[in-house]
Amino acid sequence: TDGDTPLGSILTTGSSVQDLPVSQEKSLTHTLCAKTIYQLFDFLYRWLRETKQKIKPNEKSALSLQYDTLDEFLKKFSKLEISEGSYKCREYTRALLFLEEYITENPNTLQSYLPSLGAIYYHLHDPDSLRGIIAIHETEPTAQEMILFHEVTGKLQDAAACYERLGQENVGGEDLYKAMVQCYLGMDQPLTALQLAQGLLNSEQC
Protein backbone atom coordinates (compact mmCIF):
# COMPACT_ATOMS: atom_id res chain seq x y z
CA THR A 1 0.00 0.00 0.00
CA ASP A 2 0.98 3.63 -0.25
CA GLY A 3 1.75 3.75 3.46
CA ASP A 4 3.91 0.65 3.68
CA THR A 5 7.15 1.96 2.23
CA PRO A 6 7.53 5.23 4.16
CA LEU A 7 6.42 3.61 7.40
CA GLY A 8 8.89 0.78 6.95
CA SER A 9 11.59 3.29 6.09
CA ILE A 10 11.00 5.24 9.28
CA LEU A 11 10.95 2.13 11.43
CA THR A 12 14.24 0.91 9.99
CA THR A 13 16.17 4.14 9.56
CA GLY A 14 14.88 6.27 12.41
CA SER A 15 13.85 9.14 10.12
CA SER A 16 11.35 11.66 11.40
CA VAL A 17 8.28 12.96 9.62
CA GLN A 18 10.10 16.24 9.04
CA ASP A 19 12.79 14.40 7.05
CA LEU A 20 10.31 13.01 4.51
CA PRO A 21 9.26 14.45 1.15
CA VAL A 22 5.73 15.87 1.16
CA SER A 23 4.23 12.88 -0.67
CA GLN A 24 5.76 10.40 1.76
CA GLU A 25 4.77 12.54 4.74
CA LYS A 26 1.14 12.49 3.59
CA SER A 27 1.33 8.75 3.04
CA LEU A 28 2.79 8.20 6.50
CA THR A 29 0.12 10.39 8.08
CA HIS A 30 -2.57 8.40 6.28
CA THR A 31 -1.12 5.12 7.55
CA LEU A 32 -0.80 6.32 11.14
CA CYS A 33 -4.37 7.66 11.09
CA ALA A 34 -5.63 4.35 9.72
CA LYS A 35 -3.78 2.42 12.42
CA THR A 36 -5.34 4.65 15.08
CA ILE A 37 -8.83 4.00 13.70
CA TYR A 38 -8.30 0.23 13.71
CA GLN A 39 -6.97 0.42 17.27
CA LEU A 40 -10.20 2.18 18.26
CA PHE A 41 -12.25 -0.57 16.62
CA ASP A 42 -10.19 -3.10 18.54
CA PHE A 43 -10.89 -1.29 21.81
CA LEU A 44 -14.64 -1.00 21.13
CA TYR A 45 -15.04 -4.67 20.21
CA ARG A 46 -13.02 -5.70 23.24
CA TRP A 47 -15.29 -3.56 25.45
CA LEU A 48 -18.31 -5.32 23.94
CA ARG A 49 -16.88 -8.76 24.65
CA GLU A 50 -15.97 -7.91 28.24
CA THR A 51 -19.22 -6.08 28.96
CA LYS A 52 -21.38 -8.88 27.55
CA GLN A 53 -20.07 -11.15 30.31
CA LYS A 54 -21.20 -8.66 32.96
CA ILE A 55 -24.78 -8.26 31.73
CA LYS A 56 -27.44 -10.71 32.89
CA PRO A 57 -30.06 -12.04 30.43
CA ASN A 58 -32.93 -9.58 29.89
CA GLU A 59 -31.19 -7.03 32.09
CA LYS A 60 -32.34 -3.44 31.68
CA SER A 61 -29.70 -1.10 32.99
CA ALA A 62 -27.51 1.81 31.96
CA LEU A 63 -24.74 -0.64 31.14
CA SER A 64 -26.97 -2.84 28.99
CA LEU A 65 -28.22 0.26 27.15
CA GLN A 66 -24.64 1.32 26.45
CA TYR A 67 -23.89 -2.19 25.24
CA ASP A 68 -26.88 -2.28 22.89
CA THR A 69 -26.10 1.17 21.51
CA LEU A 70 -22.49 0.33 20.76
CA ASP A 71 -23.42 -3.09 19.38
CA GLU A 72 -25.83 -1.51 16.89
CA PHE A 73 -23.22 1.06 15.91
CA LEU A 74 -20.50 -1.52 15.24
CA LYS A 75 -22.85 -3.62 13.13
CA LYS A 76 -22.55 -0.88 10.51
CA PHE A 77 -18.92 -1.87 9.91
CA SER A 78 -17.50 -4.95 8.24
CA LYS A 79 -15.06 -7.03 10.27
CA LEU A 80 -13.64 -8.24 6.98
CA GLU A 81 -12.79 -4.69 5.93
CA ILE A 82 -11.27 -4.00 9.35
CA SER A 83 -9.12 -7.10 8.91
CA GLU A 84 -8.04 -6.09 5.41
CA GLY A 85 -7.24 -2.55 6.53
CA SER A 86 -5.24 -3.81 9.50
CA TYR A 87 -3.30 -6.13 7.19
CA LYS A 88 -2.38 -3.22 4.93
CA CYS A 89 -1.13 -1.35 8.01
CA ARG A 90 0.96 -4.40 8.93
CA GLU A 91 -1.11 -4.98 12.05
CA TYR A 92 -1.18 -8.71 11.45
CA THR A 93 -2.41 -9.85 14.87
CA ARG A 94 -5.43 -7.56 14.64
CA ALA A 95 -6.00 -8.60 11.02
CA LEU A 96 -6.10 -12.23 12.13
CA LEU A 97 -8.49 -11.52 15.01
CA PHE A 98 -11.08 -9.78 12.85
CA LEU A 99 -10.76 -12.21 9.96
CA GLU A 100 -11.28 -15.16 12.30
CA GLU A 101 -14.34 -13.46 13.79
CA TYR A 102 -15.71 -12.77 10.31
CA ILE A 103 -15.23 -16.40 9.28
CA THR A 104 -16.81 -17.62 12.54
CA GLU A 105 -19.88 -15.51 11.76
CA ASN A 106 -19.82 -16.59 8.09
CA PRO A 107 -18.52 -20.19 8.14
CA ASN A 108 -19.37 -20.80 4.49
CA THR A 109 -16.61 -18.32 3.54
CA LEU A 110 -13.78 -20.32 5.14
CA GLN A 111 -12.38 -21.81 1.95
CA SER A 112 -12.48 -18.43 0.19
CA TYR A 113 -10.34 -16.79 2.86
CA LEU A 114 -7.79 -19.53 3.42
CA PRO A 115 -5.26 -17.64 1.25
CA SER A 116 -5.78 -14.52 3.38
CA LEU A 117 -5.30 -16.52 6.57
CA GLY A 118 -2.18 -18.06 5.09
CA ALA A 119 -0.72 -14.66 4.25
CA ILE A 120 -1.34 -13.44 7.80
CA TYR A 121 0.20 -16.56 9.35
CA TYR A 122 3.20 -16.07 7.06
CA HIS A 123 3.79 -12.57 8.40
CA LEU A 124 3.29 -13.83 11.95
CA HIS A 125 5.94 -16.52 11.27
CA ASP A 126 3.52 -19.26 12.29
CA PRO A 127 4.42 -22.37 10.25
CA ASP A 128 2.13 -24.69 12.24
CA SER A 129 -0.97 -22.64 11.44
CA LEU A 130 0.12 -22.33 7.82
CA ARG A 131 0.47 -26.10 7.68
CA GLY A 132 -3.06 -26.39 9.03
CA ILE A 133 -4.36 -24.01 6.37
CA ILE A 134 -2.78 -26.10 3.63
CA ALA A 135 -4.26 -29.28 5.12
CA ILE A 136 -7.89 -28.11 5.14
CA HIS A 137 -7.96 -26.92 1.55
CA GLU A 138 -10.74 -28.59 -0.41
CA THR A 139 -8.81 -27.86 -3.60
CA GLU A 140 -5.10 -27.86 -4.34
CA PRO A 141 -3.39 -24.81 -2.79
CA THR A 142 -2.10 -22.25 -5.25
CA ALA A 143 1.59 -21.85 -5.99
CA GLN A 144 1.51 -18.52 -4.17
CA GLU A 145 0.21 -20.21 -1.02
CA MET A 146 2.82 -22.95 -1.24
CA ILE A 147 5.55 -20.31 -1.60
CA LEU A 148 4.49 -18.75 1.70
CA PHE A 149 4.47 -22.16 3.37
CA HIS A 150 7.87 -23.18 2.01
CA GLU A 151 9.47 -19.85 2.89
CA VAL A 152 8.17 -19.74 6.45
CA THR A 153 9.29 -23.34 7.02
CA GLY A 154 12.70 -22.65 5.50
CA LYS A 155 12.23 -24.86 2.42
CA LEU A 156 13.62 -22.30 0.01
CA GLN A 157 14.44 -24.87 -2.68
CA ASP A 158 10.76 -25.82 -2.86
CA ALA A 159 9.79 -22.14 -2.83
CA ALA A 160 12.16 -21.50 -5.75
CA ALA A 161 10.50 -24.30 -7.71
CA CYS A 162 7.11 -22.62 -7.19
CA TYR A 163 8.56 -19.28 -8.28
CA GLU A 164 9.90 -20.89 -11.44
CA ARG A 165 6.50 -22.39 -12.13
CA LEU A 166 4.80 -19.01 -11.79
CA GLY A 167 7.47 -17.43 -13.98
CA GLN A 168 6.76 -19.92 -16.73
CA GLU A 169 3.07 -19.07 -16.47
CA ASN A 170 3.85 -15.32 -16.60
CA VAL A 171 2.12 -14.79 -13.26
CA GLY A 172 3.20 -12.12 -10.79
CA GLY A 173 5.14 -9.73 -13.00
CA GLU A 174 7.89 -7.59 -11.51
CA ASP A 175 7.02 -8.43 -7.90
CA LEU A 176 7.48 -12.13 -8.65
CA TYR A 177 11.03 -11.64 -9.90
CA LYS A 178 11.93 -9.42 -6.96
CA ALA A 179 10.72 -12.15 -4.62
CA MET A 180 12.66 -14.75 -6.59
CA VAL A 181 15.83 -12.70 -6.19
CA GLN A 182 15.32 -12.63 -2.42
CA CYS A 183 14.65 -16.36 -2.40
CA TYR A 184 17.86 -17.20 -4.24
CA LEU A 185 19.84 -14.86 -2.00
CA GLY A 186 18.39 -16.74 0.96
CA MET A 187 19.59 -19.97 -0.66
CA ASP A 188 23.10 -18.49 -0.92
CA GLN A 189 22.94 -18.44 -4.70
CA PRO A 190 23.97 -14.83 -5.43
CA LEU A 191 24.90 -15.54 -9.06
CA THR A 192 21.40 -16.78 -9.89
CA ALA A 193 19.92 -13.83 -8.00
CA LEU A 194 22.15 -11.44 -9.95
CA GLN A 195 21.11 -12.95 -13.28
CA LEU A 196 17.44 -12.58 -12.36
CA ALA A 197 17.98 -8.98 -11.26
CA GLN A 198 19.81 -8.15 -14.49
CA GLY A 199 17.03 -9.75 -16.51
CA LEU A 200 14.47 -7.65 -14.65
CA LEU A 201 16.43 -4.45 -15.26
CA ASN A 202 16.81 -5.26 -18.95
CA SER A 203 13.08 -5.88 -19.31
CA GLU A 204 12.30 -2.54 -17.66
CA GLN A 205 14.59 -0.73 -20.10
CA CYS A 206 12.92 -2.27 -23.16
Side-chain angles (χ1 to χ4, degrees), residues 129-170:
S129 295
L130 250 178
R131 187 176 290 106
I133 291 297
I134 298 298
I136 63 175
H137 263 282
E138 293 179 353
T139 58
E140 183 179 353
T142 65
Q144 290 93 331
E145 290 176 275
M146 293 308 300
I147 285 172
L148 297 182
F149 174 70
H150 292 319
E151 287 189 345
V152 83
T153 54
K155 299 178 180 178
L156 297 184
Q157 192 73 45
D158 292 332
C162 291
Y163 279 124
E164 295 289 351
R165 172 181 156 192
L166 290 176
Q168 293 172 359
E169 297 173 356
N170 294 320

Side-chain angles (χ1 to χ4, degrees), residues 20-104:
L20 295 172
V22 174
S23 60
Q24 289 192 358
E25 182 179 337
K26 289 182 178 179
S27 183
L28 171 63
T29 301
H30 177 273
T31 299
L32 294 178
C33 288
K35 291 179 71 172
T36 300
I37 291 171
Y38 295 128
Q39 287 171 355
L40 287 173
F41 274 120
D42 198 6
F43 170 79
L44 293 174
Y45 276 106
R46 186 168 63 251
W47 186 90
L48 274 187
R49 289 192 295 269
E50 294 174 354
T51 303
K52 186 176 182 179
Q53 298 176 356
K54 302 176 183 178
I55 300 176
K56 298 177 181 179
N58 302 318
E59 177 182 333
K60 300 297 181 182
S61 63
L63 184 61
S64 66
L65 177 59
Q66 292 174 355
Y67 176 90
D68 292 339
T69 301
L70 180 58
D71 186 42
E72 285 301 314
F73 172 73
L74 289 177
K75 286 179 180 178
K76 299 177 182 179
F77 302 94
S78 166
K79 291 182 179 179
L80 178 60
E81 292 182 0
I82 296 174
S83 173
E84 292 172 343
S86 297
Y87 181 88
K88 292 177 181 178
C89 292
R90 301 184 181 183
E91 297 285 342
Y92 302 118
T93 300
R94 183 176 299 114
L96 177 61
L97 171 66
F98 280 98
L99 182 55
E100 286 181 336
E101 289 190 3
Y102 176 82
I103 293 173
T104 299

